[in-house]
């Protein structure tokens, strides 16, 4: 896995720094997603991702590993998208 | 921006790191009305402590008979007699009190039917000095670290601790007599630099798992505090002792607990052979961690690894059936499905030993003061400097840490360091004069990354370093392998001085943060590989194929590696506890 790239896109850097978490699972999941999919996201998805990154680590862990499902449909859809991108 | 324009702030106490160790210390200080600044490169509740799901040890005797003296025995034995017995006694005695305090701070520990805190059994725990299994680990379900971190953070907000979130500490500031005066830091968002002057500074920056390619540690664990200490002229202690888990998910690092092999899982090589039959005919896959780790690495070195690069072996679980796996190993099943797209109920899982815990670190006494050898005194306190948690080496884990003892360590010694600081502040009312030369040095180190022109990338050197450490200072250690490691890490160290980054802006320059982190990792790598190369015995996690025995005559001593001269020194293990009799070294059999 490659950690943060050194491209000087500041919005991207800010987002990437927020993907640095306390658990390896989250680092892998989020950095992989940003590397592969970030450019494909529309503005609404980007702001949803920003919202998701405010969640505490333990909750993200439970969502990403499928132990829990968000009742917010939009978040749930984004989580599924992130989960799908890591396993491929 | 010139140095004279840089803003300066003053606090009684500066704490670098907002994991369990840093936050516990901060709370103690804030409650004693000291002005406290906590600097953390990530938002505090995203510190690595959040990953500790298992729990923390304390002899509460809620489930089975227990007392602190048995806990002490297990910890001394677990350390392979390299742990300092005074610090271990102190920790084991303080453990129940620290758990009750956490309860008071709001940590929702799991309960028994009678309302008492539930305790689970973990490896290495015994009753009666090596007798029956004990149950000593307190947990808040499977989210102990998360619960501790969040409770401590809330308490600190209440107590008005001043947080500098997403600030990066570059280096310690010190004067000519060696007094530590604070640190040079910058705001990751704006790039703005800040000089924090403090009467005392506590390093609580966590471990250095990112030294290795395969690790259970998050990306933030880059040994920054250890690097800062080395550059401030403080040697690192016992760095050759790094705990590995035999079964990490290959290429990813996450742990597959021993429980998977306990349930009947076994390892196979590329030829489909049950490899552990060769290395441990009796215990087979349940042999001790170092034996299993070395067996995996030997298979790979001899060309029997699996996959296109032959660089892992397989853990077979599918024969257990989907019901057993779902019932007993649900977390592992989910992890494999999520990250590999492999269901262990159907297919074997690729595994490789994964780096887990840094036993060595910044040498301290049991009050958390950083101590260094001065002339004939092995341990003289560095004025104004403290360390606690995984970055420190107090040393309670010695050559090998027991599960559940690390959360305990960070809380007990975070608190102890704060208590000593409180006393220090009573006697020391004023800030010492700042040393401008040391600011200049830190500034130069940061701005060296503004250099333009041709140069290798940080990413390239980092991935080579992690690979060299895995191959040449991992679980398979011989003189030849380690000599080669010393050579290669030294060469990488040299190459890093000429590396370049392409982003030179101030705001959110994460490339620069990563470059600074790699410098820290590189210094810590030197300490690790030099110390491992010199220790010609096997003890705890440092196990050498060419010196398979523990050698108490020559090696019951702590290593101290200094960066400046790249030289090793040694100091005796503190074998005398505070109040009880010494536990003399015995063979460590379980
Ligand atoms: C997967 C996993 C499971 C574990 N489970 C258990 C368990 O069940 N029981 C147990 O006892 N132990 C467990 N451990 C070990 C334990 O979690 C850690 O040893 C412990 O949490 C370390 O705490 P700490 O306070 O020393 O540092 P950390 O929690 O790592 O915090 C370090 C802090 O330093 C800050 N920092 C670092 N560098 C800088 C810098 N340059 N500038 C500014 N800030 C900086 C970070 O932002 C962070 O706030 C586990 C470890 C892992 C990897």
């Amino acid at each position: 896995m490659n950690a943060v790239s050194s491209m000087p896109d500041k919005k991207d850097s800010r987002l990437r720094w927020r993907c640095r978490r306390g658990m390896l699972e989250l680092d892998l999941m989020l950095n992989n997603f940003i590397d592969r999919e970030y450019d494909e996201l529309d503005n609404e998805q980007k702001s949803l991702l920003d919202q998701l990154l405010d969640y505490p680590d333990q909750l993200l862990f439970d969502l990403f590993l499928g132990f829990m499902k968000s009742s917010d449909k939009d978040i749930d859809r984004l989580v599924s998208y992130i989960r799908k991108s890591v396993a491929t | 921006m010139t140095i004279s324009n840089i803003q300066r702030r003053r606090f009684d106490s500066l704490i670098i790191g907002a994991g369990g160790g840093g936050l516990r210390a901060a709370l103690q200080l804030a409650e004693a009305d000291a002005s406290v600044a906590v600097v953390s490169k990530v938002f505090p509740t995203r510190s690595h402590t959040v990953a500790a799901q298992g729990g923390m040890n304390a002899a509460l005797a809620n489930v089975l008979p227990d007392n602190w003296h048995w806990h002490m025995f297990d910890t001394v034995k677990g350390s392979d007699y390299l742990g300092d017995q005074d610090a271990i006694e102190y920790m084991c005695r303080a453990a129940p009190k620290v758990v009750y305090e956490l309860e008071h701070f709001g940590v929702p520990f799991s309960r028994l039917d009678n309302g008492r805190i539930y305790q689970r059994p973990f490896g290495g725990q015994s009753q009666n000095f090596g007798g029956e299994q004990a149950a000593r680990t307190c947990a808040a379900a499977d989210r102990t670290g998360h619960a501790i971190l969040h409770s401590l953070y809330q308490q600190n907000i209440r107590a008005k601790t001043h947080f500098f979130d997403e600030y990066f500490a570059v280096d310690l500031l010190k004067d000519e007599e060696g007094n530590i005066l604070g640190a040079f830091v910058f705001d990751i968002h704006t790039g703005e630099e800040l000089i924090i002057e403090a009467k005392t500074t506590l390093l609580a920056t966590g471990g250095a798992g990112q030294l290795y390619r395969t690790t259970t540690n998050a990306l933030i664990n880059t040994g920054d505090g250890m690097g800062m200490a080395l550059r401030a002229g403080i040697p690192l202690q016992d760095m050759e002792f790094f705990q590995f888990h035999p079964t990490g998910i290959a290429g990813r690092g996450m742990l597959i607990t021993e429980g998977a092999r306990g349930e009947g899982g076994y390892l196979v090589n590329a030829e489909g052979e049950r490899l552990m039959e060769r290395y441990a005919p009796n215990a087979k896959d349940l042999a001790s961690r170092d034996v299993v780790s070395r067996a995996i690495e030997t298979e790979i070195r001899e060309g029997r690894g699996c996959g296109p690069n032959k660089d892992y072996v397989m853990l077979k679980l599918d024969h257990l059936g989907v019901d057993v796996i779902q019932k007993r190993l649900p977390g592992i099943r989910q992890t494999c499905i999520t990250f590999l797209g492999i269901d262990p109920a159907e297919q074997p899982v690729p595994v490789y030993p994964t780096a887990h815990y840094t036993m060595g670190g910044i040498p301290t006494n049991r009050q958390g003061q950083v101590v260094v050898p001065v002339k004939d005194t092995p341990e003289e306190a560095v004025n104004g400097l403290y360390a606690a948690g995984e970055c420190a080496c107090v040393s309670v884990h010695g050559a090998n840490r027991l599960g559940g003892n690390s959360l305990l360590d960070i809380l007990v010694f975070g608190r102890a360091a704060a208590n000593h600081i409180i006393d220090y502040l009573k006697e020391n009312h004023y800030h010492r004069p700042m040393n401008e030369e040391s600011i200049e040095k830190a500034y130069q180190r940061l701005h060296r990354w503004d250099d333009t022109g041709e140069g290798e990338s940080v990413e390239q050197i980092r991935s080579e370093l992690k690979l060299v450490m895995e191959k040449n200072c991992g679980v398979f250690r011989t003189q030849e392998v380690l000599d080669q490691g010393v050579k290669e890490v030294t060469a990488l160290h040299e190459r890093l001085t000429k590396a370049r980054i392409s982003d030179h802006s101030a705001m959110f320059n994460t490339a620069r943060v990563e470059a600074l982190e790699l410098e820290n990792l590189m210094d810590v790598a030197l300490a690790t590989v030099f110390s491992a190369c010199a220790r010609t015995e096997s003890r705890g996690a440092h196990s050498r194929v060419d010196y398979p025995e523990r050698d108490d005559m020559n090696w019951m001593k702590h290593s101290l590696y200094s960066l400046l001269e790249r030289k090793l020194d040694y100091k005796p293990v503190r074998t005398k506890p505070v109040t009880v009799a010494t536990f003399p070294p015995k063979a460590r059999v379980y």
Side-chain angles (χ1 to χ4, degrees), chain B residues 16-22 39-42 47-49 51-55 167-169 204-206 216-217 221 224 228 356-357 388-390 401 404-407 410:
Chain B
I16 306 177
V39 170
S40 175
K41 64 180 176 179
V42 295
S47 300
H48 192 53
T49 295
Q53 298 179 326
Y167 273 67
F168 190 90
T205 47
T216 61
N217 285 199
N221 286 13
D224 297 354
M228 284 184 247
H356 190 48
Y357 185 85
E390 194 170 334
R401 175 193 72 117
N405 263 357
S406 171
L407 286 178
I410 68 178

Side-chain angles (χ1 to χ4, degrees), chain A:
Chain A
M1 181 212 44
N2 278 320
V4 187
S5 76
S6 43
M7 291 313 291
D9 173 346
K10 291 295 123 169
K11 177 136 179 50
D12 194 42
S13 297
R14 181 180 159 270
L15 193 85
R16 279 181 180 278
W17 194 253
R18 300 186 70 210
C19 293
R20 285 264 207 129
R21 314 298 291 210
M23 294 174 169
L24 176 68
E25 287 83 350
L26 306 185
D27 281 341
L28 292 176
M29 189 70 98
L30 290 166
N31 282 291
N32 174 78
F33 180 71
I34 300 282
D35 282 341
R36 291 190 184 183
E37 307 289 340
Y38 187 70
D39 292 340
E40 311 293 315
L41 302 183
D42 60 30
N43 284 341
E44 203 179 316
Q45 283 172 312
K46 284 182 185 171
S47 88
L48 211 56
L49 179 62
D50 222 36
Q51 210 181 311
L52 185 69
L53 290 175
D54 281 338
Y55 283 27
D57 280 19
Q58 185 66 48
L59 179 56
L60 282 181
F61 180 88
D62 289 339
L63 291 172
F64 286 159
L65 276 112
F67 294 122
M68 218 184 245
K69 238 172 133 54
S70 172
S71 28
D72 178 331
K73 289 226 166 51
D74 294 329
I75 290 284
D76 186 49
R77 217 170 303 126
L78 178 63
V79 168
S80 304
Y81 184 11
I82 296 175
R83 270 166 59 80
K84 218 173 281 153
S85 92
V86 82
T88 49

Side-chain angles (χ1 to χ4, degrees), chain B residues 209-214 244 251 297 301 309 311 352 459-476 481 484-485 488-489 492 518 521-522 525:
Chain B
Q210 287 297 321
L211 275 178
Y212 293 92
R213 185 176 62 156
T214 310
F244 287 83
E297 184 62 29
R301 279 173 193 256
N309 301 321
D311 56 358
Y352 184 79
E459 287 83 351
Q460 176 63 29
I461 298 177
R462 178 177 50 220
S463 59
E464 283 186 44
L465 174 69
K466 290 163 74 114
L467 198 61
V468 169
M469 287 301 287
E470 191 156 289
K471 289 287 157 232
N472 293 90
C473 199
V475 296
F476 189 92
V481 164
Q484 184 65 20
E488 293 194 25
V489 176
L492 284 166
L518 182 59
L521 276 178
M522 196 60 88

Side-chain angles (χ1 to χ4, degrees), chain B residues 224-246:
Chain B
D224 297 354
M226 298 177 192
M228 284 184 247
L230 278 173
R231 286 189 299 274
I234 293 151
L236 291 186
Q237 181 174 324
D238 295 341
M239 289 305 291
E240 61 273 42
F241 300 99
F242 210 105
Q243 191 170 64
F244 287 83
H245 238 281

Side-chain angles (χ1 to χ4, degrees), chain B residues 184-207:
Chain B
F184 185 89
V185 310
F186 69 90
D187 180 347
I188 297 172
H189 290 232
T190 62
E192 203 169 312
E193 290 141 14
L194 177 66
I195 292 158
I196 301 185
E197 294 187 48
K199 295 173 202 161
T200 64
T201 302
L202 169 74
L203 291 166
T205 47

